[in-house]
Amino acid sequence: MNATCQPLRVGIMGCHRMLDRVPQSHNWAAAFDAVPDTEIVGVFDYGAETRTAFKSAWGNDIPDFDDVGRMLEVVQPDIVCIA
């Protein structure tokens, strides 16, 4: 675990290959979910339907954004996954 004992906050940019919980090629959400030291705290994608599908798979409480700058400002991630 990191020095603060808090999970590292992950923001995901572009999520169309992460719409289910099956670990597979380019499913970075599944990889972060498997690491106890990380937490997905925000997702950016231009497509509203894609963001909704992502949240259905990974948690409806994850904030979603259609503006990447706004996501970075609001959730202030430690890690940004550009997919």
Side-chain angles (χ1 to χ4, degrees):
M1 183 138 320
N2 62 55
T4 63
C5 296
Q6 297 294 317
L8 293 170
R9 300 165 49 79
V10 179
I12 294 181
M13 296 170 52
C15 61
H16 70 279
R17 293 188 180 183
M18 301 175 231
L19 304 182
D20 59 44
R21 297 184 72 86
V22 178
Q24 58 191 341
S25 178
H26 300 281
N27 191 341
W28 304 113
F32 286 117
D33 186 62
V35 177
D37 293 347
T38 62
E39 175 186 10
I40 299 170
V41 296
V43 62
F44 158 81
D45 200 278
Y46 287 119
E49 290 180 21
T50 304
R51 294 191 311 269
T52 298
F54 180 90
K55 290 173 59 160
S56 292
W58 298 103
N60 286 318
D61 59 330
I62 297 172
D64 66 286
F65 301 87
D66 63 359
D67 180 304
V68 71
R70 182 80 177 128
M71 181 190 79
L72 295 173
E73 178 184 324
V74 171
V75 302
Q76 299 182 357
D78 300 305
I79 299 170
V80 176
C81 176
I82 302 171

